[in-house]
Amino acid sequence: MSEQPEISHTYETECQRAELLGLQPPDRADFERKRQARLEHELAEQEAAEAVLLEQQDETLGGVGGKLGELNSILSSTQQKLNRFKQTACGSLTNIFSRASSGSVDLTAGGTAAGPTQEERPPVLAAKPPPTAAEVSAAKAAKQKRMDSQLDKLDSLINQADNAQIAMSEQTQQMRRLAK
């Protein structure tokens, strides 16, 4: 399907077209009604496409949140094993040299995993009768709410990623110290 730039369809151009083709000029009220219906239909299609895109983004964010949650779980488990190892193998050396350990990293500060949540779905606009102004404003409000929710999820994912990076760095330093 090739996309061509849409030519501005004004009443005057339709009259000129009809004159060139030897047809009766269109009724102005009928032309405006059809033009408005076409614009509403295009807007409805655009809103439906945006709703599908938001749904896909929600699924992607849920997947990323689950993977970051899994990574943080693995890092927490690794930190527990490092702490146990330090207590058993290095405990006596630590007491001898009075060396302070760096402690563990708190992975719970980042909040919960951003999994898929049950939210209101924006109404899907079909090619049926044009939506009322109230329906359009409700759809816009639902879309804005969903976008805000996605921004909150992104913030949570960024926090989880930061916590994972800090935990990995800390654990790497601890392992290097233990290996010396």
Side-chain angles (χ1 to χ4, degrees):
M1 192 160 102
S2 67
E3 293 184 29
Q4 299 175 355
E6 187 174 321
I7 300 172
S8 176
H9 291 289
T10 63
Y11 179 72
E12 290 77 23
T13 58
E14 282 299 309
C15 287
Q16 291 173 354
R17 180 179 170 271
E19 183 181 329
L20 288 172
L21 296 174
L23 302 173
Q24 190 75 349
D27 178 47
R28 185 173 196 95
D30 187 45
F31 172 80
E32 288 298 325
R33 184 179 49 78
K34 287 181 181 177
R35 181 175 169 269
Q36 184 64 27
R38 186 181 73 249
L39 290 174
E40 288 174 355
H41 179 72
E42 289 172 359
L43 179 63
E45 286 178 349
Q46 181 181 5
E47 291 288 329
E50 288 175 359
V52 168
L53 180 63
L54 284 173
E55 184 67 30
Q56 291 171 344
Q57 289 173 346
D58 268 352
E59 291 173 9
T60 301
L61 287 175
V64 170
K67 289 176 182 171
L68 275 173
E70 183 180 346
L71 174 63
N72 279 324
S73 174
I74 291 168
L75 288 170
S76 179
S77 173
T78 304
Q79 184 63 49
Q80 290 173 355
K81 289 177 184 177
L82 277 172
N83 289 343
R84 267 189 258 127
F85 178 77
K86 285 193 308 188
Q87 287 174 353
T88 57
C90 301
S92 59
L93 293 176
T94 303
N95 292 338
I96 293 172
F97 296 113
S98 299
R99 186 177 77 187
S101 66
S102 62
S104 63
V105 177
D106 183 19
L107 296 175
T108 60
T112 60
T117 59
Q118 191 66 287
E119 298 176 351
E120 283 186 23
R121 304 289 184 219
V124 176
L125 303 174
K128 293 181 181 176
T132 64
E135 291 172 337
V136 169
S137 65
K140 286 182 181 179
K143 184 172 79 172
Q144 185 63 40
K145 181 179 177 184
R146 189 169 212 160
M147 290 173 68
D148 289 345
S149 170
Q150 286 186 353
L151 287 174
D152 291 342
K153 286 179 186 178
L154 281 173
D155 286 342
S156 175
L157 293 175
I158 288 169
N159 286 337
Q160 285 182 339
D162 287 344
N163 287 340
Q165 182 180 10
I166 291 167
M168 283 190 284
S169 174
E170 181 66 25
Q171 289 176 11
T172 301
Q173 289 176 1
Q174 289 176 17
M175 286 188 264
R176 283 185 182 144
R177 276 185 248 137
L178 291 173
K180 287 183 179 181

